[in-house]
Amino acid sequence: MTDTIETLALAQVLHRARTERTLLDAATEVTTLSLDSAYEIQDDLTRLRLAEGRCAIGYKLGYTSAAMRRQMGVTAPNHGPLLDDMVLRDGARATGFLHPRVEPEIGVVLGRDLAGPGLALHEVADAIAEVRVCLEVVDSIWRDYRFTAEQNTADGSSAAGVVLGSVLDVDPLHAHRVTVELHEDNALVATATSAAAAGHPLHGVAWLAAQLAARGSGLKKDELIITGGLTSAVALRAGGTITARFGGTTTVSVRRPAGETDA
């Protein structure tokens, strides 16, 4: 396991790079990590962010779909924190990102605390207050999105933004039946169903509860969990708009101003 002082130093490297808009080379920075050490770095990085006055509001799940695992060469899911300043309104202008990509996701808001492990699907569903349509704006600190699973985990699973859309009128137990279309400007670029997230979006929530339980923690009432990209991620280009349509009628979108440039 990485020494506590070393994990903080590595978290400071990641934090400084994002603050200074400098991408890191995965081949030369923080190259040998265990997954446990990666989560320790993630925790230290989160503490650095919270010390700036930001607030934790929930979690993101990464790589719950085969499409995202194939795209990024990752074989297992991970998770990262969501902070209050990551939340964007529907149709928002995404500014200040390094090299953003967008994924359509199912989000859930908890109506009560939820603790694992071994939660059944109906137990998770009973704890859900809302199902929301979302777009995640991922923004890796690693150049060209080339990283190991551990490096990505240390960086909070690339969590940077979430566009929180409308409440979806669906029973949480049936949240795996929702169709999604992803459009870049006016062009359809991908389709999927919400079952792409581990067979059912709530399976990821149960997995997260078990992961947190193993570390002596749990999920809390009112927390937002976004359950993983349903399609491959699409670059959010300067001057472009990405829109997801869920269930054929409910849309959520994000745009990037024409003057924005990648790091």
Side-chain angles (χ1 to χ4, degrees), residues 242-254:
I242 294 180
T243 302
R245 185 180 302 277
F246 291 81
T249 57
T250 306
T251 62
V252 59
S253 67
V254 64

Side-chain angles (χ1 to χ4, degrees), residues 79-105:
H79 63 82
L82 293 178
L83 306 180
D84 58 340
D85 62 344
M86 294 180 181
V87 178
L88 304 171
R89 61 176 176 77
D90 185 10
R93 298 165 70 248
T95 61
F97 291 94
L98 303 174
H99 51 167
R101 296 180 177 182
V102 176
E103 310 162 6
E105 305 200 14

Side-chain angles (χ1 to χ4, degrees), residues 33 38 42 60 62-63 72 74 78-79 140 142 145 147-159:
L33 283 177
Q42 183 188 114
K60 67 147 291 180
Y63 312 109
M72 304 311 302
V74 173
N78 67 4
H79 63 82
S140 178
W142 304 105
Y145 284 81
F147 44 65
T148 66
E150 292 79 13
Q151 288 169 328
N152 175 251
T153 298
D155 184 37
S157 188
S158 302

Side-chain angles (χ1 to χ4, degrees), residues 36 39 59 61 77 79 110 114-120 123-124 202-219 225:
D36 284 344
Y39 277 115
Y59 296 87
L61 299 177
H79 63 82
L110 294 180
L114 187 66
L119 292 170
E123 294 177 295
V124 178
L202 300 191
H203 285 318
V205 179
W207 174 84
L208 176 61
Q211 295 295 305
L212 296 177
R215 306 178 74 200
S217 183
L219 295 167
I225 302 105

Side-chain angles (χ1 to χ4, degrees), residues 212-226:
L212 296 177
R215 306 178 74 200
S217 183
L219 295 167
K220 304 298 183 184
K221 180 182 177 182
D222 297 327
E223 284 187 323
L224 168 68
I225 302 105
I226 57 174

Side-chain angles (χ1 to χ4, degrees), residues 72 106 163 174 208 241:
M72 304 311 302
I106 294 290
V163 185
H174 300 155
L208 176 61
T241 298

Side-chain angles (χ1 to χ4, degrees), residues 101-204:
R101 296 180 177 182
V102 176
E103 310 162 6
E105 305 200 14
I106 294 290
V108 297
V109 178
L110 294 180
R112 61 174 175 81
D113 293 356
L114 187 66
L119 292 170
L121 203 62
H122 70 86
E123 294 177 295
V124 178
D126 286 346
I128 303 302
E130 295 177 346
V131 179
R132 304 286 288 261
V133 301
C134 297
L135 292 171
E136 183 182 7
V137 183
V138 294
D139 199 31
S140 178
I141 202 66
W142 304 105
R143 184 175 290 111
D144 299 324
Y145 284 81
R146 300 301 180 196
F147 44 65
T148 66
E150 292 79 13
Q151 288 169 328
N152 175 251
T153 298
D155 184 37
S157 188
S158 302
V162 55
V163 185
L164 193 59
S166 303
V167 173
L168 197 58
D169 185 17
V170 61
D171 186 315
L173 275 177
H174 300 155
H176 62 305
R177 300 177 180 176
V178 182
T179 60
V180 61
E181 299 174 349
L182 190 65
H183 296 259
E184 183 179 7
D185 297 323
N186 295 319
L188 177 67
V189 293
T191 62
T193 70
S194 51
H200 195 299
L202 300 191
H203 285 318

